Amino acid sequence: MAKSVAGIIFSSLNQNTLSRLTADRAVAAIPFACRYRLVDFCLSNLVNANISNIFLVANYNYRSLAEHIGSGKDWDLARRSGGINLISPYQSARDASAKLYKSHLEALRSMGDYINEMKEEYVVLMDADTVLNIDLRAVIASHEKTKADVTFVTKTPDKSYSSKNPRMMLSSVAGKITDMVLSSVYTERNPELSLGIFVMRTTMLRKIIEQANAYGLNSLTELFFDSYKRQNYRSYCYSGHVATVSSFLDYYKSSIQLTKNAEARDQLLGQRDASIFTRVHNSAPTIYRKGAKVSDSMIADDCVIEGTVINSVLSRGVIVRRGAVVKDSILFQGTYVGENASLNCVVTDKAVHISEGVTLSGNENMPFYIQKGRRV
Amino acid sequence: MYLKKECIAMLLAGGQGSRLYDLTKKTAKPAVSFGGKYRIIDFPLSNCINSGIDTVGVLTQYQPLALNEYIGNGEPWDLDRTRGGLSVLPPYQGQNGSDWYKGTANAIYQNIEFINQYNPSNVLILSGDHIYRMDYSLMLRQHIKTDAACTVATITVPIEEASRFGICNTRSDGSIYEFEEKPKEPKNNQASMGIYIFKTKTLIDYLRIDEADETSANDFGKNVIPNLLHNGEKLFAYQFDGYWRDVGTIASLWESNMDLIAENPPMNLSDKSFRIYSRNTARPPQFIGSDATVENSMISEGCRIYGKVENSILSGGVVVEAGAEVYDSVIMEDVKIMSGARVYTSIVDADATISGGCTVGKAGADKNDITVIAKGTVVNTNVPEKA
């Protein structure tokens, strides 16, 4: 029989640092790479590892996330047994103080009995703001082999790495985690970035929650810091492409990077046996009209392109009229770019209308953002 | 026991499509790709669900493997229902032996039991080889209002082509007094689209009569409809005035694909009020590379284009390498066109590879001179050899 594994996805951590993109949506529902939302990567990684009992812990603004997930059938998660469970924020008569979660631990507490009732032997915890295409079966196999208490999936970032939020950075000796620190930059001492993917036995997860409650801790991070010296915590260092979306600038850079880096594109989206699944919209293919000039761009379905598009990421239903130039920009679903308009380093949210002849320009370290539904 | 249904559909999808030659060697015609991400059968199935018809029997016979896999349980068209939904109906063995479907009427005759299960008031007969978007509920409304025994959908065709069709000669109220199958001298240009709505009882009665007649070809157009008229049944024409194409030939399949990239396409696939649904294949977004040129073309998910594409329709996952060029062509799923290859005025079926330096098709050829590359072919020489 196959190993039984459950998945838990935290849909809305780091909501605050992505404020512009999360005004109307959960972190997990942020569009990424034209046709996906961040949650699609978590869900597909789990599904591709035959994990089909998945809990998606919602926070505020989860309407668009719920709509995206639907019954879960687009990920083959509409199941009689297991499938996807959207855990909405919950208040009961017993505990009216329940509030929106800010850490993994609070989110896990908000799941209440689900964790106690889990039948699966193992559980994988994932943050929605990390984009990668990883074979979780290999992570679980390594977890078993090393008899780890918890396996942390990590990535050694470039030395230039920096993040708006401090994240868990660690060092390991032959895979055994020996030091941990919260840092927003790369350091020689703790070069491995924790990607927010944790594998453990379900019994271990229950124990961790109990301990944290007993010590009055507020986050898993605190607990890991307290315990790593005593416990067998292991690092699984992933070598493939990873995008961590912890700020608007991160988001912008990692999106545009996909238009420039074929290897990253292939690792993330081009794996034959590990497709990334998303909600199916039944849109028509994209039409390129006479005079269209497109280069180094990722484009979703149902766009109409008459103008010039360079190093850009276009979601479904974007229209670029004649003479318009779109460069280094990310256009969300239904953006309209009028004739002779010019966009450089711009992010347009859903259904933005750029009128004829308008010129907008940001720069690569400060892209210009236009909020949902705006007319410019 | 099922709830009584107002109307169910029976979709004839068993045709061989022999005039599509290599494209239907291993695939039933309804499963042939169209318009980048679609298959021909997506059109009638989407029409059904968009018309409020939630029970569809799909009659398969010829090379059903790809077709069966494609339609599955009907989920992409919202036809996976607890009551009704999509059922695949291949020929089967009964107590009195088994039989292939001998003709369109015989195919339905062999599935009278299926129809009776749902006890519908009316049955809509469709074929799986036309590209069109049609709200059958309007036709059904007329059918009920006129109290017709059978309503035949018709479309205006150029009079010079009328002798290729079944022609309905009607009175001023739209009732049909004569039906001529491929007449030498057509009296008008109202052609049958091969779409019929019958009162269920009329249908079953006449299918039984037709089956008993050993001289019958068991065909709706040739036998059943003329027989209804002969017996004085009330037949009406329903005039459809939208886009409708029979894509039964290479020329018409190519031409109908090209219609999609016309300046003002006669059928707009991105109309959200009447979507055409298709099975999704979870491909990444399309990527257009540094030195690519893509003009006047329709490109689907998963394509990677580094070369030149003009006036063409590309299905999912097609790769056009740098230095490859594609003109006026229909390229189906996962075809690879390698650096230095040229493709002109062709239909290239799925999984084919056009090797570098090879030229396929003739530049500027007309619709009757389309080059076809069969599924999975690896092309290492020019096709045709002397262009």
Side-chain angles (χ1 to χ4, degrees), chain B residues 21-44:
Chain B
Y21 304 97
D22 275 354
L23 298 179
T24 49
K25 220 178 207 168
K26 289 183 180 153
T27 308
K29 180 154 68 165
V32 168
S33 293
F34 180 84
K37 66 184 296 189
Y38 307 97
R39 308 284 184 119
I40 296 171
I41 198 170
D42 288 331
F43 290 82

Side-chain angles (χ1 to χ4, degrees), chain B residues 179-249:
Chain B
F179 183 89
E180 292 182 289
E181 186 70 17
K182 297 184 179 149
K184 286 209 177 66
E185 285 169 28
K187 298 192 183 90
N188 75 69
N189 57 351
Q190 289 304 302
S192 164
M193 297 161 70
I195 299 169
Y196 315 100
I197 298 179
F198 284 89
K199 282 183 181 168
T200 306
K201 185 173 183 316
T202 310
L203 176 68
I204 293 173
D205 288 350
Y206 277 86
L207 287 177
R208 292 202 166 121
I209 293 167
D210 180 66
E211 189 62 20
D213 176 3
E214 286 184 3
T215 64
S216 172
N218 305 121
D219 184 88
F220 275 100
K222 286 190 199 117
N223 311 103
V224 178
I225 300 291
N227 204 15
L228 257 81
L229 276 171
H230 180 75
N231 288 341
E233 297 284 357
K234 209 163 148 186
L235 264 78
F236 274 80
Y238 171 80
Q239 282 193 18
F240 176 69
D241 59 4
Y243 180 85
W244 178 83
R245 289 290 181 279
D246 181 336
V247 287
T249 63

